[in-house]
Amino acid sequence: MKKYLSLIIVSVVIVTCLSISCSKSFLDRQPNGTLDTTVVGNQKGVEALLIGAYSMMDGYSSGAAFGIGGWESAPDNWVYGSICGGDAHKGSDAADQPSIIPIEAYSADATNSFFYQKWRAVYEGVTRTNVVLKVLASAADVSDADRKRITGEARFLRGHYHMEAKKMWNNVPYIDETMTDFQVPNPKTNVPNTTDAWPQIEADLQFAYDNLPELQDAVGRANKWNAGAMLGKALMFQQKYAEAKAVLEQVYLNGKNPAGVKYGLVTNFADNFNAATKNNLESVFAVQSSVNDGANASNANYGDVLNMPYGGPWDCCGFFQPSQDLVNSYKVDPVLGLPDFDNYNANPVNNDQGLKSSDPFTPYAGTLDPRLDWTVGRRGIPFLDWGPHPGYDWMRDQGYSGPYSPIKDVYYKNQKGTLTDGSFWSSTVTAINVNIIRFSDVILWLAECEVEGGDLNKARDYVNMVRGRAANPLGFVKNANGTPAANYKIGLYIAPWTDQALARKAVHFERKLEFAMEGHRFFDLVRWGEAEATLNKYLDYEKTLRTYLSAAHFTGSKNEYYPIPQRQIDLSNNILVQNPGY
Amino acid sequence: MRKKILLSATLMFFCVLQLMAQKTIKGKITDATTQQPVANATVIVRGSTVGTQSDDNGNFTITVPNANSRIVVSSVGFDPQDISLQGRGEVSVALKTTTSSLNEVVVTGYSSQRKKDITGAVSVVKVKDLESIPASTAENQLQGRAPGVTVISNSEPGSVASVRIRGFASFGGNEPLYIIDGVPAGSLLGINPDDIESMQILKDAASASIYGSRASNGVVIVTTNQGKPGPARVTYSMYYGTQDPGKGFKDFLTPQEHADLTWLALKNSNQPLTSGQYGSGATPVVPDYLLGGSSSGLFEGDPAVNPSLYDLNFTKLGDANYTPYLIVKANKAGTNWFKELTRKAPIMNHNLAVSGGSPDKSKYFFSFNYFNQDGIVVQNFYKRYIVRTNTEFNVKKNVRIGENIQLYSAQNNSAGNNGEGTEIGNSYRILPIIPVYNINGDFAGTKGANLGNAHNPVANRWRGKNNGNTFFAVFGNIYAEVDFLQHFTARTSFGGGYGYGNSFTYPSIEYENSENTVTPVYSESFGKGSSWTWTNQLTYKNSFGRHNVTALAGVEAVEDRGRGITASRQDYFSFTNLRYINLNTGSGTQSVGGSPQDPAALYSQFAKVDYDFNGKYFLSGTIRRDGSSRFSESNRYGYFPAGSIGWRISEEPFLKSVPWIADLKVRASYGEMGNQRIRPSNQFTQFSGSAGASFYDINGTSNSPSQGFYVSFIGNTAGKWETNVTANAGFDASLFKGTEITFDIYKKKTKDLLYNAEQLATAGGTASANPPAFNIGSMQNWGIDLGITQRSYFGGQKGVRMDATLTFTTYKNKITGIAEGVPFFDQDAGEGGRLNGVFTRNAVGHPIASYYGYKVVGLFQSADDVAKSPTQDAAAPGRFKYQDSNGDGAITPDDRVFIGDPNPKFSYGLNLNFTYKDFTLAAFFYGIEGKDAVNYVKWWTDFYPSFQGAKSKDALYNSWSPDRPNATIPIQENAGNFSTNGPPNSYYLENASYLRMKNLTIGYKLPSDFLKKFKIDRFYIYVQATNIFTITKYTGLDPEIINFDDRINAFDAGAYPTVKQYLVGATVNF
């Protein structure tokens, strides 16, 4: 037996070893490729977390760990702000992205996946800002100045993300860093949506305005002045015109971008929508887009990936087609060059509906605001540098969705591959920045402030400033031979506005023309209290053209806000309360 | 017949070391019925570790301790005989054909037992029957073979089937634990089915909980062939066959019919009667050409279709300034895309095995397998080589050292399965008017007006023909065993696998589609993974009078790790020359990614005691303690106890006299099993940064974003084991007329179910989209497993012998909890972007993966009908009328109800084997009853606006119109909405029950007298047909629909169909 004793002993030793001394360390296994709080809890780590907080500005995140958002959470709110504001239709064909159809018809319910994605993307942004603030508190190597700056940027972004939610749903929970914990289920973040979030949003933006420096080391960073503009925006949404005016005037007079360039209007209106001319002096705050950067288009303007013409040289997808109502809005009086606020849909701009590209067509000969052709692609008019728009051949289903194409989010032919992403399945993701606030926003907000409690002449001056820029023939769309592509005319408001109501109409209409297809219209109509009347009037006209809207109706005191995603209400155990009417 | 003897490396458990005087005896074993010699019978000296096998002539030689020793002779299909030598030097043994399989010794968890003594729920699979289904992996063969096991086979070559034992214990990770020669494996893919000697399925806690934290989904124990003592025996077997793709989808509309449907839909939508292809005006006209340059809907003679204009320059494609000039003729007869995409595909298998050994010294088994299956989809294949060597050496009388190791090498080109983006998916999404090729023989596609956005599936396959995956793996174990102190055996086994895979996708550029992929990208990835398991165990076996005890205890350590790297490159000077293309030779953007897998480790102790009194009363208990790195230190260890009792009633006096009962045992068990299948890093909160998730171009460069971080995972330090409590009761009966019945009824409850339930979005996107697993859910299953085998002779023992096996499986699953306050979660199977909502809802009180949506009660017949009905968005004549479930007069999301259940009421398999003289006939039927499926293909084909693509005949001829009030398909329109193709509703639901004749084999064994002249022991040839017919009401491609997530079931987006196969095969032994 002795012979085998050794073997037995060996076995026993192995058993003992594994069971006692080795097991503890054997079972301690740290994950790969990640960091913990101790590694990021310093200035470098916090700065990187702050970049991460900015990176949700585009409403989209993709990666090994998870994907969130997409065109549903596009920062330009093309569905919620523009389509629902009457600028455009879903476009494309009847089947693609069917969830937009009920949203467009104001009949969407709380289970619609678009709202859910938008909500998730916005609150991921909020969380990232809170993580910055939380980790910053434990980072010892940050100077007071940097601490102020980082806090300011994070709170600026937090204010912005919450404002996005506020615009959409009105009754939204406000989440700050004290509620954010690296532990879920996280009851701290399960807060009710019954308290108005404006005061906290305002406080965040005020803090940013008071503490951020003028100059920053990167053009995409928030500085004092865009915080001021953002604060102004939050005040505009609350109809606090006097307070808004105070801060916006400072921005108007002294505002500079992070590189120290004073804000102003660019000469060419179109430069605001061109990846090659981004971060110009008119860009107050924008979502930075980059392409061909190894991220498979995740840092590009992914939210607008669908919003290109279709067919011909285009890879995809034919969405976001402007409405006839929008096109008609750009008609101007042939003498004065001014719009007709109320009856613009009489004698509409003709179009090529029902015509093939090979059929003859003559574009509208009447006078038009030149911004139309930088906003709407239409048959026969040069489309950026792609040549004349051929109409039918660039429509996915003209009979369903109409004859127009979007243009502000479309790339130039000569940018394909350089300012569009080459690694993506189509070239439709671009490096075009998404404008959150343009300087013309600041100007027209100031015009509103003057209308609502100031000087109508000042208001008129502000509006004329914006119109004056558009009137510069240098900025007109031109044919190959250099002649204007259409009968452009745009006049200033020369006659004084004697009546506040008329002034209000003029300012509101100017915002429509200036910012069409930029995702603001619906939210403007709601904050002005004009949504129900304006949008039902819009539907009455547009449903005769787009038959799928035949039953659409905007219900007042309901459709001003979107439904809180049902899933979030469920997950909150009904702590979140649904909006009225849903 | 191939010899399949259930013998294992754990033979020593039944043996006791003998050191006394020895004697050699000789013997011959014959079949009592036929008087033919029985080869490969096992001969064991009772109470020792000494054993041997009979040779081809039934002869054996064995050394026995003394003249009065007893030997036990056993062989599959025969009753074992216990023979007292009583001094004889030579014995002849006539084995009687068994009437019962209960004496088989089967391998169970860390031990082996006589089948008749098992008190847990264990299914012993008849391995020989498995081989009658030609398949790349044994999982597919398992369907219908074992009660309690539900298999949804995966018909794509080289793919793993879904195997679920007793329903679903969790929302994910319900695959059983596979133990191959004592070593855990993820699946049976990569194991040569011909190498499998035995397979047992441990279903209840009593049998499985010795595997503790990995046992909750049941355990499949596989033992590979071991060498048989004796001279080298060579077995060569092969089959070759062809697979018939069949007819495919139901006929779609012809081009003219599609044009008619288009006009119908436009009329119904008050849209102008115009189309980019079919002209304008009262009647649609099918064009001669779909595309000529940038024009569509053209006719012969049109200058745009002049062939001299044709221009396709591959080197310029992708250049913004280059537009090819393509000319595509309309296929007026209509392209049958399924037919174009598929082919009659060959399947073949060659297997060579050598087995032998010298008694008491060594044994060896060697095999080589080549398997090659082409898919019915063009350019789709799976090819495999496996070499296995299993050897064992008796280095001392009481010390054995051995190994079971295989090398596996495979290549495949996958066609995908069950997705609208696969080529099968595109074959129902693309219009039949589009030809496969254009006038120049280049691919044709959806480029042109109103042709939709599908991809030419044939083009996709051909472009991808050089893509593929290669795998290489080593898998197996080495072990040593020592018998000592008469009753003890110590065993140590170190095993595992090391494998790597390489996959590559060659660049291609598209030109024929409306939505072309314009950037050619070459991508390649490498990944490797390793896993090892070291098991040390001690077994004690003894008898005290009528008390029999087997006890074992052991420790085990397991570790898994892996790494991977992926890279891609753009812009190649030439992408037709494959040898040119690698990651270095592209000139454009490159990207590299790495994915080290988080390591995981398990350290465990286990023990088991089996006791029986006189073979009549049984008591068994097991316990395992597992420590897992997946849980934080405070919750790291879990205990998994189980116990069972058994009572052989047939041994009681009151039953002994019942003439028709040979053996009857009742048994019951209770215990706990665990589940730890969560990400290894579940407890850790992590920060990370990736370009896609957290980088931002703060400097406005347009191409160089700055690095950013985010919280990429929020850890749950409180996570602990998921526990599965199982109660089982059953009986095993052997009746004298050749009937055996095994019956089990069970209840299985999962508590502390680990689920990564979605968290509130206000806790952040990470928590919302990628939450950690919490012990929050619960689930239960109950069901009945029934297996009946019947062995009968017609015309006496020399007449026709019939072996029939019926298996019957049920499970009733119910989710009993998801998370505090969370009554359900929905699961998107890919339809979420198409419909407004998804079909599948996992909800408390309902079975897993139930279907949920609006219930269609009919179609609105008139405006009056609409007015009288509850208000409904987009209600109009001819559209769906939904059930107002809550009766509030309005159709809202609250009116959605559970509309179907994809979990079958029961499934069954019937296997029939007939043997007459040298002829065999085998038939196998499998059926599923009471199963619902969602035929998502109908969304594409039955509604005009669901993209331009193939449409069903029903859409044109059986859709609603005022003069077709009884139609079931809504009015065809060019607009989607809530009342037509918008939301998930009961329209798509179908009964997916089916009965399939899976196999019919006719075989013939050549006469042995004849074969002897060629020194061949045995020569068996057969012809076979599989999947001969399927009886079903399901209208899709195939009612057997595999999904790859347990939270979705029977959702059909065009699953790779099960097809008919015709084969010839042969087996030769010499």
Side-chain angles (χ1 to χ4, degrees), chain B residues 689-987:
Chain B
S690 79
S694 60
F695 288 15
Y696 186 68
D697 187 22
I698 195 91
N699 291 308
T701 63
S702 289
N703 55 30
S704 305
S706 303
Q707 172 171 270
F709 293 154
Y710 71 120
V711 177
S712 56
F713 190 71
I714 298 177
N716 170 24
T717 50
K720 60 174 184 181
W721 308 97
E722 171 179 322
T723 308
N724 214 288
V725 183
T726 302
N728 190 86
F731 67 83
D732 304 305
S734 179
L735 309 179
F736 269 120
K737 289 210 163 153
T739 309
E740 279 175 40
I741 301 171
T742 297
F743 173 89
D744 282 283
I745 182 164
Y746 65 89
K747 188 158 191 174
K748 203 171 154 178
K749 280 187 175 172
T750 310
K751 59 178 191 189
D752 299 329
L753 189 154
L754 283 164
Y755 185 56
N756 42 353
E758 181 184 359
Q759 305 293 315
L760 266 180
T762 42
T766 300
S768 157
N770 186 30
F774 293 93
N775 298 93
I776 42 181
S778 61
M779 198 181 274
Q780 66 182 40
N781 295 274
W782 76 268
I784 287 169
D785 305 340
L786 174 65
I788 303 175
T789 60
Q790 174 69 48
R791 185 166 295 128
S792 299
Y793 292 88
F794 301 100
Q797 296 245 326
K798 293 200 168 179
V800 177
R801 171 175 156 173
M802 180 191 80
D803 293 281
T805 305
L806 175 74
T807 65
F808 179 85
T809 298
T810 70
Y811 69 86
K812 190 93 187 135
N813 174 279
K814 192 164 94 173
I815 299 166
T816 50
I818 292 171
E820 177 77 37
V822 178
F824 66 86
F825 64 89
D826 292 339
Q827 198 66 29
D828 189 349
E831 79 277 30
R834 303 300 186 193
L835 287 90
N836 197 348
V838 300
F839 282 96
T840 307
R841 171 163 290 189
N842 292 278
V844 174
H846 294 271
I848 189 169
S850 293
Y851 301 132
Y852 187 77
Y854 296 95
K855 197 170 174 89
V856 175
V857 293
L859 299 173
F860 288 111
Q861 293 298 336
S862 62
D864 188 43
D865 188 5
V866 172
K868 278 196 243 159
S869 303
T871 58
Q872 178 178 323
D873 188 26
R879 295 181 183 169
F880 287 131
K881 185 200 277 190
Y882 299 129
Q883 176 180 287
D884 182 14
S885 306
N886 61 6
D888 65 352
I891 304 300
T892 65
D894 294 338
D895 291 307
R896 291 175 298 168
V897 289
F898 286 90
I899 51 180
D901 181 2
N903 297 284
K905 287 205 168 59
F906 61 87
S907 60
Y908 54 97
L910 174 64
N911 191 56
L912 298 169
N913 276 316
F914 296 95
T915 312
Y916 175 69
K917 291 190 173 152
D918 290 332
F919 290 92
T920 55
L921 184 144
F924 179 52
F925 300 86
Y926 178 71
I928 289 263
E929 203 50 47
K931 181 184 177 91
D932 294 324
V934 167
N935 188 352
Y936 171 58
V937 175
K938 283 169 135 179
W939 185 83
W940 297 89
T941 61
D942 286 1
F943 298 89
Y944 177 78
S946 299
F947 292 94
Q948 297 290 331
K951 298 294 169 192
S952 65
K953 296 273 187 201
D954 285 345
L956 180 61
Y957 297 112
N958 295 318
S959 58
W960 189 92
S961 68
D963 47 336
R964 277 202 298 260
N966 295 324
T968 52
I969 297 190
I971 184 169
Q972 297 294 307
E973 299 168 271
N974 186 29
N977 59 56
F978 177 77
S979 296
T980 56
N981 66 344
N985 63 41
S986 59
Y987 175 74

Side-chain angles (χ1 to χ4, degrees), chain A residues 234-300:
Chain A
L235 295 166
M236 292 303 293
F237 268 83
Q238 300 173 77
Q239 290 86 38
K240 294 179 175 173
Y241 298 110
E243 287 168 79
K245 183 178 155 182
V247 62
L248 288 170
E249 268 180 349
Q250 286 304 309
V251 176
Y252 176 76
L253 294 170
N254 305 314
K256 298 182 185 71
N257 77 10
V261 177
K262 195 167 178 332
Y263 293 142
L265 295 175
V266 292
T267 310
N268 292 326
F269 177 68
D271 287 353
N272 289 304
F273 318 108
N274 185 343
T277 53
K278 64 190 188 183
N279 295 318
N280 55 43
L281 57 100
E282 189 167 340
S283 176
V284 175
F285 194 65
V287 181
Q288 303 294 329
S289 303
S290 79
V291 293
N292 303 315
D293 56 6
N296 194 25
S298 296
N299 297 321

